[in-house]
Amino acid sequence: MKIDIGCGSCKESGYLGIDRTAWPGVDIICDINEGIPLPDNTAEFVMASRVLPYVNNLFAVMAEIHRISVHKAVICILAPYAHSFPHLSNPLFKQKFDEYTPRYFTGSFFQPASGAVSPEIPDYPAPVPPFDYRLLRMELFYQYPFDNTLYESEELEILKTLQSNVVHEIMYHFVAVKKPITPEELAAMSRKAYPEPQALLKRRRHAQNRQV
């Protein structure tokens, strides 16, 4: 089963839609802060597009998503990048997301060979969470004027480290781990293509048009 958490009025096609508001197409009306009314080991793919910044307790919600996920289920998260003034000033955002976030989602971090790098956390080691999500892919979406080919990837890496308002959103693909899994399995999964939120299609088309 594929699940779209916080689907709103634009549920992903072929997904079970979950939202706290009875939008057209929503299949289960619930507040994910209070749990997700599905059995253990139900979901094979979970989409959480632009919803997790609003939850009260991120670890509690991620633990609930882990509960309903089967072993090796893939979880796609699209979220606002923490180091952006419009996001910092949003009073409704309770959770922050950046390149360090995947380090807090597992006690056995895996860095995929491709995609953005999740740096080590200095000085204050991440505690082992009550779930295990291994990173398969992480992608950064830059905001204007950094979203075109004028900038090399090395330049962007330096810019986003030195200043705010370079990256607008960040997307992760994680695998929910419930049984032993090898680095070879993780590497193979990290090379696969996975679904993305509809919200990204417009952004990708806009970026392509700017590069033409």
Side-chain angles (χ1 to χ4, degrees):
M1 180 185 295
K2 296 190 294 184
I3 298 173
D4 186 357
I5 294 178
C7 62
S9 59
C10 301
K11 183 178 70 173
E12 302 284 338
S13 178
Y15 287 66
L16 179 78
I18 297 176
D19 202 281
R20 65 180 182 181
T21 302
W23 299 101
V26 172
D27 301 291
I28 297 177
I29 301 170
C30 73
D31 184 347
I32 60 173
N33 288 299
E34 300 174 2
I36 301 173
L38 288 173
D40 296 356
N41 304 309
T42 296
E44 297 175 348
F45 189 94
V46 177
M47 187 76 74
S49 176
R50 296 174 174 169
V51 63
L52 295 183
Y54 301 97
V55 303
N56 296 329
N57 185 324
L58 182 59
F59 267 27
V61 171
M62 294 306 295
E64 187 69 353
I65 293 174
H66 196 268
R67 179 189 66 78
I68 68 169
S69 296
V70 300
H71 174 59
K72 295 174 71 171
V74 174
I75 291 82
C76 177
I77 297 172
L78 178 65
Y81 189 67
H83 315 296
S84 172
F85 290 165
H87 300 151
L88 287 170
S89 63
N90 190 331
L92 298 179
F93 287 170
K94 301 173 184 177
Q95 310 298 331
K96 298 178 176 63
F97 298 84
D98 65 10
E99 300 95 325
Y100 293 95
T101 300
R103 296 273 180 175
Y104 292 96
F105 282 6
T106 180
S108 303
F109 180 73
F110 170 78
Q111 175 63 60
S114 60
V117 172
S118 181
E120 293 187 14
I121 300 171
D123 302 325
Y124 298 92
V128 177
F131 43 71
D132 190 356
Y133 291 102
R134 312 286 176 91
L135 181 66
L136 298 177
R137 186 174 300 116
M138 180 167 59
E139 186 173 358
L140 304 173
F141 297 93
Y142 294 86
Q143 58 191 51
Y144 180 82
F146 306 104
D147 59 345
N148 60 49
T149 55
L150 291 175
Y151 296 89
E152 299 291 338
S153 58
E154 293 82 2
E155 292 179 293
L156 291 171
E157 184 68 25
I158 295 171
L159 283 168
K160 72 180 179 62
T161 303
L162 296 177
Q163 67 182 64
S164 301
N165 301 317
V166 175
V167 180
H168 181 65
E169 288 186 298
I170 187 166
M171 181 174 67
Y172 317 88
H173 282 88
F174 293 101
V175 57
V177 176
K178 294 189 168 184
K179 302 176 184 178
I181 191 168
T182 66
E184 292 75 20
E185 287 179 278
L186 292 169
M189 291 190 71
S190 73
R191 292 191 291 267
K192 294 181 179 180
Y194 296 104
E196 298 180 349
Q198 296 179 47
L200 282 184
L201 296 178
K202 182 178 179 180
R203 176 180 288 279
R204 291 196 187 279
R205 285 196 295 265
H206 180 70
Q208 290 172 357
N209 291 337
R210 288 179 60 84
Q211 295 171 14
V212 173

